[in-house]
Amino acid sequence: MDFLKRFSRDKVGLFFGIVLVLIYLIALTAHWITPYDPLQTDLRKVFQPPSWEHWLGTDQFGRDMLSRVILATQITARVTGLAILFAVITGVPIGMFVGFVGGWLDGLVMRITDMLLIFPIIMLAIVLVVIIGPTENGVIFALGISQMPQFIRVARGVTLSVKEELYIEAAVAVGASREYILRRHVWPNISAPIIVQASLTLPVFVLNASALSYLGLGVQPPTPEWGQMLNESVAFIFNAPYLMIGPTIALFLFTLAANLVGDALQETINPKLKKRK
Amino acid sequence: MAIAKEESGIGANHALLELRDLSVDFETEQGTARVVDRLSYRIDRDETVGIVGESGCGKSVTARAVMGLVESPGRIASGQILYRHGDEVIDIAKLDPKGRQIRELRGNAISMIFQEPMTSLNPVFSIGDQIAEAILLHQSITRRDAAEKAVEMLDAVGIPLPRERARDFPHHLSGGMRQRAMIAMAMSCNPSLLIADEPTTALDVTIQAQVLDLMNKLRAEFQAAIMFITHDLGVIATMADQIRVMYLGRVVESGPVSTVFRQPLHPYTQGMMQSIPSLRGARKRRLQSIAGNVPSPLEVGPGCGFASRCPHVMDVCRKAKPALVSEGGVQSVACFQHHTHTEEASHAG
Amino acid sequence: MQAEEVLLDVADLRKLFPIRKGLLQRVVAEVKAVDGIDLRIHTGETLGLVGESGCGKTTTGRTILRLLTPTEGKVTLRLPSEDGTTAAHEIDLAQAGPRELKTLRQKMQIIFQDPYSSLDPRMTVSQIVGEPLKVQGIAHGQERADRVADLLQSVGLEPTSMTRYPHEFSGGQRQRIGIARALALNPKLIVADEPVSALDVSVQAQVLNLLQDLQARLGLTYLFISHDMAVIRHICDRVAVMYLGKIVELAETDELFGNPRHPYTEALMSAVPVADPGHVSRRILLEGDVPSPVSPPSGCHFHPRCRFATDICKSEVPTLRTLNGNHAVRCHHAEKLTLQGVESE
């Protein structure tokens, strides 16, 4: 409650929070709100510029661009959401465990995450997608793995600092097991920083998912994806420049909103950051 | 009468610092907390005044106010901090905290040492450099002379091999040595007032004894007045001439240390003295403790701040604040058991 | 003091902390935090462990409780049989396996110095005080709630505090919550690690009184760790003085304070500022700082700061010898020295 109150004091964050909620509402209801079937080709209606009938025009197969952008919103939301979930589910337990146990295992895992973090996400993701195959699951997995080290680090960091608290020693003194301490004392401290990390990861994933599909390594046609739509539109940039409008705006809005909401969340949870600005 | 009044204030020849009705407020989310509440007292030249009280009594905030270091969300709400600088009397409360005038006083005429010297020493400069820097800030001498003076100061505070130690960085030194270095820095400009805020609290008892011994020596040598802030009655008894007992932002009792320790008048002073286990008294007896806890400054009502914990509380204690009134000369107490003067009456008069 | 029944026997306890350096984390040195400690704690007594920071008193407490694994030594807990007919049950804590240890934790508990860090800010008071019962699977549901309410009452807190969070309490009240948690499992031995050092003097007295009351009522045995000589003298039956990982003197409280036999004990006592302006201080100022426990001085560790040190002190490590009765001291010259104690009023 207190958290929401503080968050709502940040007007920019609040505004883009609402934008983000709207984007997810569109994603959730995509199947019902698309004005046309996004996959239905109609060769009589190819390359129509924006009009009352087709707000964003139609593409080379006569498909309604607005409907395709809306469906792509759902795809992007799903892919990025599941990729974050994957990174959290794999990264957090590993981070908590090695942070708590310490020793050589901790050293080893940290060196591996360091190595993974050297590569730009997109490079790592390309390699992984090439190995797994350019499917939706492939993208989810590739993105998830590429950012898992970040979640390992956050979870480990929190665990290391909580581990020093005397109440952990008090729990050991009454006979609590490692699992109990991680669950009861460490875990409650981890949720907030993980939410922040997830919100900061979201825009990165949105951009990278689009980049992958721009390169043809993402979701395969005919399923629409912003990056893939942009790729296709490049071929017609002089004949039908309006094809770029929809995916570009969608990509821009989603990334911007996710970024600003992430910043606002971080400031709310860690108010000290704000003062330094 | 006017003359007599002047004699008791900053006008007196030997007076150095006088707080008049000083109030400091802190803005919190729950409201305004008055952390220092209409505080008045005087410190004379060459005198060591011990300010004693528990956490949250406002003793450290008062010190910061004298240094012109009250920072947001705190602010000086009212009152004067009169400081005699040469022939003129300066009201520190009115100075711009970032201005030239206060910076000239700070570290020069008035200097301060803290509980944890590590936080007030810069980790990336050697201690010799830092002391020299402090000297150069206020004196127009050459860098070489300042460096030489720094070594002299380190020697004066009993740091062995001062020339070598001057090149050391703060983390090379032990806690006791660091506090000595801090004292060397504070004394380097011959201040007339040294504010010591719990300077030995973080030190081990044998090291504390060394530092207290040092401060006693320096006090005689440099002839500075010391405002010695501590929660430790034992330290006060060894160090101070005068004592001011603070509770919830107010002085509840003041006087010469010998008088107050022999015969504490305020129930809070009495309670505090009886609640410390001594090295010589009967063992294993029940300690006299003061019931309850220090209330938050936000909860202070119209009455005496100590009323909620006082064993001798009367009706009047909950309705009005007692004034700090002199009891037979040197000792003063703010308690209705001893007089009927309320704060309001004394201000009206 | 009750009958001299040994509850805990510590024999040659050592705890070394390796200092690692470099890529391969090679051990380059060792901190001898606890360097061969022998102690016996009798049932129902309060044994004080006093010394300056870095002397190993806290590590000793932690190692006895097996919060740290001892490097060497034996810690025997002697538990009398329930009905009192059969012989007492002796367990070596230093060797106990995880299962056995969990059961043994019911017998010994700890009270911490810092009343802030020692309570999980995200748990309510009833969760904190009930945690030992939950972890040990002793009481559930209403039974646990009742027990928690009893515990809170016994440390002087209202049962209504149960649903509140630690940050709503003052330092002294938090320390009471910590004490209630330590009492939850009905322990025999409580290690109190500087339990009043973080508290204001007026509150300190409340907590000391509480600890004494609880001891009288529940027959507790305390290992009371503190740097404060006055507090130690007030509450302890016997006192062990530690310096650089070793016990340098151990005696009954009155004997130790009235008739110290180790120069360090004497200096420690004389350094305490006395809250009496009329007191003529004959302070013995020790030179220098406590040396590093990584490379303690040769011979008697105290010799560089000792005003009586002779050649033998530099070369030979003194043993802890029993002088008259129960007064043990680790000093080559103990018999010859006339040291100044504290005259009781």
Side-chain angles (χ1 to χ4, degrees), chain C residues 321-334:
Chain C
R321 301 176 287 143
T322 306
L323 292 184
N324 51 328
N326 291 320
H327 200 141
V329 61
R330 191 187 286 276
C331 174
H332 291 301
H333 306 305

Side-chain angles (χ1 to χ4, degrees), chain B residues 15 25 29 41 63 67 101 116 144 146 154 159 207 214 238 243-244 248 258 263 268 270 309:
Chain B
D25 286 353
E29 292 202 359
Y41 62 76
M67 290 290 282
Q101 250 187 315
E116 186 27 79
R144 183 186 293 265
L154 290 177
I159 292 185
I207 308 299
L214 169 72
T238 8
I243 181 171
R244 311 268 181 270
L248 276 180
S258 51
Q263 191 189 36
Y268 176 63
Q270 293 166 352
R309 304 176 74 188

Side-chain angles (χ1 to χ4, degrees), chain B residues 282-303:
Chain B
R283 298 199 308 111
K284 284 262 171 182
R285 67 189 161 92
R286 279 189 70 81
L287 293 166
Q288 288 283 333
S289 65
I290 305 174
N293 298 285
V294 182
S296 144
L298 292 162
E299 296 164 3
V300 175

Side-chain angles (χ1 to χ4, degrees), chain C residues 109-122:
Chain C
Q109 279 301 308
I110 180 164
I111 301 170
F112 297 96
Q113 168 175 10
D114 181 353
Y116 292 87
S117 167
S118 58
L119 307 179
D120 189 335
R122 290 167 197 270

Side-chain angles (χ1 to χ4, degrees), chain C residues 20-182:
Chain C
R20 293 170 197 278
K21 264 202 179 136
L23 196 64
L24 297 172
Q25 296 288 291
R26 268 183 325 123
V27 177
V28 291
E30 273 166 339
V31 179
K32 296 187 180 99
V34 179
D35 192 12
I37 289 240
D38 296 282
L39 270 183
R40 285 184 161 183
I41 307 181
H42 301 126
T43 305
E45 80 167 338
T46 303
L47 178 71
L49 205 51
V50 70
E52 298 179 281
S53 49
C55 74
K57 56 189 192 298
T58 293
T59 311
T60 304
R62 297 284 205 281
T63 313
I64 286 175
L65 290 182
R66 269 293 294 275
L67 292 170
L68 295 169
T69 314
T71 312
E72 232 178 89
K74 223 174 149 179
V75 181
T76 314
L77 186 65
R78 216 161 153 275
L79 295 170
S81 59
E82 297 297 319
D83 49 10
T85 50
T86 45
H89 183 43
E90 289 192 0
I91 314 133
D92 184 3
L93 283 171
Q95 300 297 327
R99 279 203 104 94
E100 200 179 3
L101 202 54
K102 182 168 175 178
T103 326
L104 286 172
R105 295 221 176 275
Q106 296 182 22
K107 303 295 176 201
M108 47 185 200
Q109 279 301 308
I110 180 164
I111 301 170
F112 297 96
Q113 168 175 10
D114 181 353
Y116 292 87
S117 167
S118 58
L119 307 179
D120 189 335
R122 290 167 197 270
M123 286 168 63
T124 62
V125 170
S126 79
Q127 285 172 326
I128 291 169
V129 178
E131 183 169 63
L133 303 169
K134 185 180 170 188
V135 165
Q136 293 280 353
I138 286 177
H140 305 274
Q142 190 55 45
E143 197 191 340
R144 192 193 297 164
D146 290 345
R147 176 96 179 99
V148 170
D150 285 350
L151 285 164
L152 289 177
Q153 200 141 34
S154 67
V155 297
L157 289 171
E158 298 289 318
T160 49
S161 358
M162 282 174 73
T163 52
R164 291 161 66 193
Y165 286 88
H167 69 88
E168 298 173 58
F169 296 88
S170 68
Q173 289 170 316
R174 283 164 157 264
Q175 203 57 309
R176 288 172 192 265
I177 298 171
I179 294 172
R181 170 177 59 195

